[in-house]
Amino acid sequence: MSFLTSLSIILYLAHISFHTTAIPTPDGMLPNGNFELGPKPSNLKKTMIIGKYSLPKWEIKGIVEYISGGPQPGGFYFAVPRGTHAARLGNEASISQYVPVEAGSTYSLTFSATRTCAQDEKLMVHADGHSAELPIQTLYSTDGGDTYAYAFKAIRSTVKVTFHNPGIQEDPTCGPLLDAIAIKKMPPLKYSAGNFVKNGNFEIGPYVFKNFSTGVLLLPKIHDIISPLPGWIVESLKPAKYVDSRHFNVPSGLSAIELVGGRETAIAQIIRTIPNKFYRLTFVIGDARNGCHGSMMVEAFAARETVKVRHESRGKGEFKTGVLKFKAISNRTRLTFYSAFYHTKLHDYGHFCGPVLDDVKVWYY
């Protein structure tokens, strides 16, 4: 084989590699993740999208509508707070997109989803062999729909992300409304000096939309095995809410957790401990200055000890510190936090809320 032939083969292989190896998607909105690029008028039958690839950057299947926010026929009102358009999934419909990622890394999807007709509407999320069914029957906010996070570990360099409505309603167009879809690569967890709790300040979490946020709902582990809140387990029936300092009042840093489901919302972390050694757990609770009011109480558990920390919320973003001293009984200790009461906003009883938790620390006592 001549030198020129060998060089030609090398250049050809380099060319193929360059054009087949995609750069991983950066943190933020997926291509046309806000659905502001719509189908051509010729590919629309009223609001129905005609054609598998008619919605730019997406592949659709079944009855998918291209919706404009605001009043709808039949007296409905669809809120689209992050733009003007959204996608509605009818009976057994789905939308999909292939997303370049870094194989072996953990990612979190953030997306706005809300039911539009039936009480029993559901939404399935699929990503690289992982899937979850979202219980969207409960509406946690009344000002623009709920935002969810779903985490998965990429096993390939390209992931097919699919949102699917598995339901069959009498009205075939009934189904979840998707408003905005974003992705974030999760950084590896590290211990902080003087703290046995990983991500105790909740600074590592899912992507948060910048222009509008009602908080990001974190699914219980029965729905999402890989937590979108690294280091923590949402081990309850209801989700916890990830809130950011741009839209809420948090005790410190950029993020915190709001326990929005009363006794049905609990988060936990298992830490390394030394049996028979004493430890001191500290944490901060309060309200997010979002109109959540009343007598709040967060219960914390560690080993055989428990503490109840009360906070009379006036909705002004006030906080207090809780302390729990405990003796480790094994080389692993579970820390658990949940809200003892249910809360709604002062002037909006359809909007669930709860105490904010932040700055969780454990150290030798």
Side-chain angles (χ1 to χ4, degrees):
M1 184 181 294
S2 69
F3 171 76
L4 289 177
T5 303
S6 299
L7 180 61
S8 297
I9 293 173
I10 291 171
L11 291 175
Y12 174 76
L13 291 175
H15 173 82
I16 294 296
S17 176
F18 177 80
H19 287 280
T20 57
T21 304
I23 299 173
T25 305
D27 294 351
M29 202 77 73
L30 289 181
N32 200 25
N34 55 6
F35 305 108
E36 293 307 301
L37 293 176
K40 295 177 181 179
S42 59
N43 292 327
L44 280 173
K45 186 177 181 181
K46 293 186 177 180
T47 58
M48 196 93 63
I49 302 174
I50 308 300
K52 187 175 182 179
Y53 302 104
S54 296
L55 182 61
K57 307 297 182 182
W58 293 93
E59 176 185 316
I60 72 170
K61 181 181 179 182
I63 300 173
V64 178
E65 291 183 281
Y66 190 62
I67 298 294
S68 297
Q72 308 292 320
F76 293 106
Y77 183 92
F78 294 158
V80 184
R82 298 178 188 87
T84 56
H85 296 99
R88 189 188 191 196
L89 308 182
N91 282 353
E92 298 185 298
S94 64
I95 63 170
S96 303
Q97 183 175 134
Y98 287 92
V99 183
V101 293
E102 183 181 289
S105 294
T106 298
Y107 287 83
S108 177
L109 294 167
T110 299
F111 51 93
S112 177
T114 186
R115 59 182 173 86
T116 59
C117 299
Q119 179 68 35
D120 61 347
E121 285 179 22
K122 297 175 183 178
L123 178 66
M124 293 288 297
V125 186
H126 304 267
D128 210 16
H130 305 268
S131 64
E133 182 179 278
L134 271 70
I136 60 174
Q137 297 93 334
T138 301
L139 298 178
Y140 287 87
S141 58
T142 57
D143 51 358
D146 293 324
T147 302
Y148 291 86
Y150 174 73
F152 65 93
K153 186 171 183 178
I155 58 177
R156 302 175 183 86
S157 58
T158 300
V159 171
K160 185 178 183 181
V161 173
T162 300
F163 295 88
H164 171 63
N165 172 17
I168 300 178
Q169 303 294 336
E170 185 176 345
D171 180 350
T173 64
C174 268
L177 190 74
L178 289 171
D179 170 29
I181 304 171
I183 194 168
K184 180 181 178 181
K185 178 185 173 184
M186 294 298 188
L189 280 181
K190 298 179 180 178
Y191 284 108
S192 300
N195 190 5
F196 293 123
V197 179
K198 288 185 176 181
N199 199 21
N201 54 7
F202 305 111
E203 296 299 285
I204 301 176
Y207 184 84
V208 177
F209 295 114
K210 295 180 175 58
N211 60 341
F212 179 87
S213 179
T214 55
V216 182
L217 293 168
L218 310 177
L219 297 173
K221 70 176 182 179
I222 58 172
H223 297 287
D224 192 0
I225 299 299
I226 300 174
S227 174
L229 186 66
W232 292 91
I233 307 165
V234 182
E235 59 175 12
S236 47
L237 297 175
K238 300 292 185 182
K241 182 178 281 190
Y242 189 71
V243 296
D244 67 297
S245 60
R246 186 182 290 108
H247 302 95
F248 299 85
N249 196 56
V250 303
S252 64
L254 300 176
S255 306
I257 291 297
E258 186 179 13
L259 303 173
V260 293
R263 287 182 175 270
E264 295 177 276
T265 296
I267 68 167
Q269 182 172 146
I270 299 172
I271 65 171
R272 295 175 183 271
T273 50
I274 300 173
N276 299 317
K277 197 167 185 66
F278 288 90
Y279 295 84
R280 175 186 171 94
L281 164 66
T282 62
F283 55 96
V284 177
I285 70 161
D287 65 272
R289 199 161 59 193
N290 59 348
C292 204
H293 69 294
S295 298
M296 296 179 172
M297 184 168 72
V298 171
E299 295 192 39
F301 301 84
R304 295 192 176 100
E305 305 300 327
T306 182
V307 65
K308 300 177 180 179
V309 182
R310 297 181 179 272
H311 171 66
E312 289 296 326
S313 173
R314 298 179 293 172
K316 296 183 177 181
E318 298 168 312
F319 302 101
K320 68 190 303 182
T321 300
V323 179
L324 176 63
K325 301 168 186 175
F326 67 93
K327 180 182 179 181
I329 56 178
S330 71
N331 57 7
R332 296 288 190 274
T333 298
R334 179 183 293 268
L335 312 176
T336 304
F337 301 87
Y338 74 86
S339 171
F341 307 126
Y342 295 88
H343 301 275
T344 57
K345 286 189 175 182
L346 180 61
H347 301 295
D348 186 355
Y349 290 105
H351 195 130
F352 289 95
C353 61
V356 166
L357 174 69
D358 202 1
D359 289 334
V360 181
K361 299 177 182 177
V362 172
W363 195 242
Y364 296 121
Y365 176 64

